[in-house]
Amino acid sequence: MKSFKKSILLLSLLAIMLVSSVSTVFAAEVSAPEFSTGCNLSSGENKALSLFIQNADVAPHSYTLTAGDSANSYELYFSTNVATVKSMTVPAGTGNQVDLNITLNGNASVNEDKLTVKAVRDDGKENIVNLSIIINKDYALSVKSMLDKINVLSGKSADFTFSVMNNGSQDLNNIKIKPELPYKWFASQGTEAIMNLKPGETGTTTMKIDVPNSQIAGNFTAKFTAVSDEIGSSLISVPVTVKTSSNIGYWMIGILILIAGFTLVQFKRHGRR
Amino acid sequence: MIIEIGKKEIRDAFRNKLFLSILAMLLVLTVVSIILGSYQVKIAMDNYNSSISFLQSLGKAELPPMPNLNPISASKGFVNYIGMVGALMAIVLGNTAISKEHKNGTLRLILSRGVFRDTFLNGKLLGNLAILAGITALTGIITFVSLIAIGGVALTTSDIVRLLLFFGMTFLYMTFFTVLSMGIATVSTKGSRALLITVIVWLVLSFVFPQIGDTMDMDNQIPGGFFSSMGMSRDQEHQVLQQFKFYETLRDGVEEMSPTKHYERISYALLNVKPGFEANTPWEVVGLKWINLIGLLAPSAAIWLLTYIAFLRRENIYQSN
C-alpha cells in the first residue's frame, strides 16, 4: 500500500510537470466560470498559447475572440492552422482549437501581468479566461541602430551599424543580426558576424546592405532584429532614403550638350535659312 | 515674328475639330475624375466628423485624431487620363502645326517672306506651349475649386505647392509629345504618315516600355512571386539575381526610356499616391525625383534641337507634296 501511494504521488508529480510544461489553456464551455493559467514571456519573444473553444450547445455557434486589459503592451492576434482569425464557428457539441499569439512590445512595465481573453458567443453569452503572464528577465536582448536615418545612392552599398545589449541576467550566445529588407536589397557582409554578450554588456556590429541599381529614389524602411541562441530582440526599423546616382544625370546632360553643340555647328556651317 | 506665328497657331488650334474633340474628352474625364475624387474626400471627412460628434455625445474626452485624407490624391485618375488622352491631344496639336502648312502650301509662302526656319519652328512651339499651358491651368483651377467646394477641405501650403508642381510635370509631359510630333512632322513629307509614326512611338514609349519593365521582372513571372513560389531563401534569390545582372540592367534601362513612367513616378510621389513621401516637403520630393524631371525635360530639348537640324537641312520644302 505504501509503494502504491508513492507511485500515485510520483504519477501526480509527473502529471503536474507535464501540464505545466505545455502552455495551453483549456477553455471550458462558454458558460463555464473563469479560470487562470500562466505563461512565461521574454522581451521580443513570440509565444502561441492554444485555447480550446468548447460548444456544448445543440446548435453551432460563432465566437468572437478578443484579448486585452494588460498592463504591458503586447502584439496579440488569434490564429488557426491556416490563418489569422478574429472569430470562429464551432459545430454543436464539439470543440475547436485557436492559438493566441503574444509578443511583448518594448520593455515591460510590470513583471507579473494579466491578460483577459474573451470569447463572445453569437447569442451574447461570453466566456472570460484570465491569463497570468510572467515576464522572464533572465534573457533580454535589445538592438538599436547607431544612425537614425541612412542615405544611400541606388546601386551602392550602405553600412548599418548596430549596438546590441544584453539586458538580461544570463549570458547570451551566438548573437546575430537578422535583416528584413525591401525587394532586391541584400546584406552582402555582416550576416555571419556573431558575438557573445555577458549580462549588461554591449557589442557593436556592422552590416553592409546592397541597394540595387533598379531601386527608384524614395524613402524606405529596413528592419532588423538581433537573435541569440536563447532569445530574440524586438524588431527595429531604420529609415533609408535612396537617391539616384548623379552619373545618369551627367550622362543625360552630356548627351544634351553634344546635341546642342552639333546644332550650333550646323547653324554655323549652313547659316540661318 | 515669333509672337505673331504663335498667336496664329493658337487661333488655328481652336478651329481644329480633332483637337477640340480630344480636348473636350480630356476635360470631361478630368472633371469627372476630380469630382469623384473630391466626393471621396468629402465622404471620408463626413465619416470622421460624424464619429467625432457621436463620441462627443457619449461624453468622451479623448477623440481620435483626424486621419490623413490626402486630398491631393484626388488627382490620381488625372495622371492616367493625361498619360493617354493628354498625350494624344499633344500629338495632334504638334502634328497639325507642321502638316497643315505643308498641306495648304503655306510653308513655302511663309518661308519666302523672310521668316527664318528656326523662327518659324520657335513660333509654332511657342503657340502650342501656350495652348498646353492654358489647358494645364484650366484643369488645375478645376482641381483646386472641386477640392475646396466639393471636398470641403482646406489645402495646406504644402498641398498647394505639391499640386502646382504636379501640374508643372503634366505640362512637361504633354510638351514632350508635342515636340516629338512636331519633330516627326518636320522630317516626314506627309502629315498622315508622320501622325501614324508618332502614335506608334507613343504606344511604344507609353505602353510597351513600361510593360517590359513590369512584366519582365523575374519575380513577376508567377502569381505570388517567383522566388517565394520556388521556396528560395534570400541568399538563393541573391545568387539568381546576380546571374541575371545584365538582363536586369537592360530591363531597367528600357523602362527608364519611357517619359510616361517618369511622369507617373514623379506625379505619384508629389500626390502622395506612392507611400513614403508624406514627411517630405514638395521640394524635397522634386530633389529625390530629379531624375524623373530630367527624364521629362532632356528628351524634349534633345528632340527639339534635332528638329532644328532636320528642318535647317531640308531641301525639299519648296517642292509640292
Side-chain angles (χ1 to χ4, degrees), chain A residues 149 180-188 192 210 213-219 241-250 252-253 255-256 259-260 262-263 266-267 269-273, chain B residues 115-119 217-220 227 234-235 237-238 241 248-249 251-252 256 262 265 274-277 280 288-291 294-295 298 301-302 305-306 308-309 312-315:
Chain A
K149 192 181 174 189
E180 277 182 35
L181 302 169
Y183 178 50
K184 287 184 184 173
W185 291 30
F186 296 101
S188 56
E192 301 307 316
D210 295 342
N213 268 320
S214 57
Q215 183 60 67
I216 56 170
N219 300 311
T241 300
V242 178
K243 292 178 179 175
T244 311
S245 165
S246 308
N247 291 345
I248 305 163
Y250 292 144
M252 278 187 174
I253 292 164
I255 292 168
L256 202 61
I259 295 171
F262 184 60
T263 312
Q266 291 296 317
F267 267 98
R269 189 178 289 172
H270 301 282
R272 285 181 89 187
R273 296 174 78 185
Chain B
V115 176
F116 288 113
R117 293 184 183 192
D118 54 303
T119 308
D217 188 330
M218 207 174 289
D219 205 33
N220 287 347
F227 296 114
R234 285 304 293 251
D235 284 341
E237 189 182 324
H238 192 194
L241 285 170
E248 285 286 297
T249 310
R251 188 183 64 78
D252 294 329
E256 292 295 328
H262 288 296
R265 283 178 182 166
K274 182 98 182 158
F277 295 94
N280 292 106
L288 278 170
K289 294 286 182 186
W290 65 269
I291 192 74
I294 297 271
L305 289 171
L306 292 172
Y308 272 146
I309 299 170
L312 187 74
R313 300 197 61 181
R314 196 167 152 184
E315 301 296 345

Side-chain angles (χ1 to χ4, degrees), chain B residues 250-263:
Chain B
L250 191 71
R251 188 183 64 78
D252 294 329
V254 168
E255 200 176 29
E256 292 295 328
M257 284 164 71
S258 166
T260 310
K261 206 73 193 170
H262 288 296
Y263 172 61

